[in-house]
Amino acid sequence: MSGSRSVADRSRPVDGKRVVVTGAASGIGKGVATALVQGGARVVLLDRNVDAVTAVADELGATAIGCDVTDEDQVRAAMRGAAEHLGGLDGAVNNAGIVLNEPAESMSLVDFNRVIAVNLTGVFLCAREQFPFLADGGGSIVNTASMCAGIVVRPQPQVSYNASKSAVVGLTRSLAAEWADRNIRVNSVSPGYTLTELVRSPELAPQHEQWSSLTPMKRLADIDDLVGAYLFLLSDQAGFMTGQDIVIDGGYTVW
Ligand SMILES: NC(=O)c1ccc[n+]([C@@H]2O[C@H](COP(=O)([O-])OP(=O)(O)OC[C@H]3O[C@@H](n4cnc5c(N)ncnc54)[C@H](O)[C@@H]3O)[C@@H](O)[C@H]2O)c1
């Protein structure tokens, strides 16, 4: 079968796509939302930090909705609001995430569950509430996992984070299998260490040098190193790709 997409489509792969992005007030989510708008997509930005996400959306000429991805009612209302605003959904980036660096033996259940609630259950809830709006015409969900899905990074302990991200990859594969016949593709992107607020905390910043030295490419990622993979997966160019994880880590996981 010959392809029917025009050259123009290929050069602007997300042009006209209607996409919701979570964790869009900062870091990777903000970077992906920005690249989407620059590429001609129509975007609704979600974040629990309402002031920050509104400021980003204002900068981009896009729309923001305050939403804590751990709150079922908020997620349902936010996905409905986003789809109504955009007149439907073609894609979603489920990206909100947190990290807590505590040794397993002294980590409280409350803290462990907090990380799982945002990083894993939040992705499930968002995807489930996106489904009805994607199911009409098909679409693409991209979840942010991490290179920590497949390895244990060092030296900082982060048992809950690593567990949550391994599970995001499993969740992604399961959703991909369940929803393939609705033409909803579900993939993940697994970044290596990336220079965002998440890793700029006072506890983690001193470790950047060691992390770089453990990375074959001897540096941390910039957000711009990642956005192309998200745009590709959201686009029709990835139209036969589902259930996969794209690792972007400067080679960290090959050593
Ligand atoms: N920075 C890295 O090195 C790195 C590496 C691999 C994966 N990741 C993943 O990338 C994603 C984005 O992280 P980042 O580095 O951009 O961090 P970030 O802290 O800059 O951004 C995370 C955003 O998520 C939002 N958020 C947190 N909890 C939320 C909730 N309950 N509901 C809604 N929004 C919430 C925050 O307000 C923030 O705007 C996360 O899933 C993270 O685990 C980051």
Side-chain angles (χ1 to χ4, degrees), residues 26-28 47-48 67-69 95 144-145 161 165 191-192 194 196:
S26 166
I28 296 167
D47 204 285
R48 72 173 168 191
C67 174
D68 183 330
V69 298
N95 163 80
T144 301
Y161 184 86
K165 294 301 186 178
T194 307
T196 68

Side-chain angles (χ1 to χ4, degrees), residues 18 47 75 79 124 177 206 222:
R18 301 161 297 178
D47 204 285
V75 171
M79 295 312 164
F124 165 70
D222 294 317

Side-chain angles (χ1 to χ4, degrees), residues 38-246:
Q38 288 168 349
R42 295 179 54 225
V43 183
V44 171
L45 293 84
L46 267 49
D47 204 285
R48 72 173 168 191
N49 187 336
V50 182
D51 290 346
V53 77
T54 302
V56 174
D58 287 350
E59 256 174 57
L60 296 177
T63 298
I65 300 177
C67 174
D68 183 330
V69 298
T70 67
D71 184 309
E72 190 172 21
D73 292 337
Q74 285 188 33
V75 171
R76 185 175 294 126
M79 295 312 164
R80 187 176 299 128
E84 276 172 12
H85 177 76
L86 297 170
L89 276 187
D90 303 302
V93 178
N94 297 323
N95 163 80
I98 58 170
V99 64
L100 292 178
N101 298 107
E102 298 172 28
E105 65 274 19
S106 55
M107 186 168 206
S108 71
L109 183 59
V110 169
D111 281 355
F112 186 89
N113 284 341
R114 185 148 65 97
V115 175
I116 299 294
V118 180
N119 294 8
L120 174 60
T121 315
V123 172
F124 165 70
L125 276 180
C126 287
R128 191 191 71 189
E129 296 306 319
Q130 288 150 3
F131 175 86
F133 306 106
L134 293 167
D136 279 349
S140 170
I141 294 175
V142 185
N143 299 322
T144 301
S146 165
M147 68 174 175
C148 299
I151 50 147
V152 176
V153 290
R154 55 202 157 101
Q156 72 281 8
Q158 46 184 45
V159 62
S160 54
Y161 184 86
N162 296 347
S164 73
K165 294 301 186 178
S166 300
V168 167
V169 171
L171 176 77
T172 298
R173 278 201 291 263
S174 300
L175 296 177
E178 288 197 29
W179 295 347
D181 63 356
R182 309 300 294 261
N183 200 28
I184 300 174
R185 299 181 296 101
V186 191
N187 295 285
S188 55
V189 173
S190 277
Y193 291 119
T194 307
L195 287 164
T196 68
E197 292 315 304
L198 194 84
V199 301
R200 285 196 174 109
S201 65
E203 309 87 66
L204 294 180
Q207 290 171 23
H208 289 189
E209 217 172 286
Q210 185 181 359
W211 294 346
S212 293
S213 75
L214 290 167
T215 304
M217 293 191 76
K218 301 295 178 210
R219 66 174 177 87
L220 309 188
D222 294 317
I223 293 165
D224 281 347
D225 292 316
L226 310 175
V227 293
Y230 287 88
L231 266 56
F232 167 68
L233 289 171
L234 288 167
S235 79
D236 298 341
Q237 293 176 357
F240 198 49
M241 183 165 174
T242 197
Q244 303 304 309
D245 182 47
I246 298 182

Side-chain angles (χ1 to χ4, degrees), residues 3-36:
S4 58
R5 290 190 296 272
S6 68
V7 173
D9 288 336
R10 289 176 192 274
S11 69
R12 285 177 66 79
V14 294
D15 196 18
K17 297 279 186 199
R18 301 161 297 178
V19 185
V20 62
V21 180
T22 76
S26 166
I28 296 167
K30 178 181 174 183
V32 171
T34 303
L36 281 166

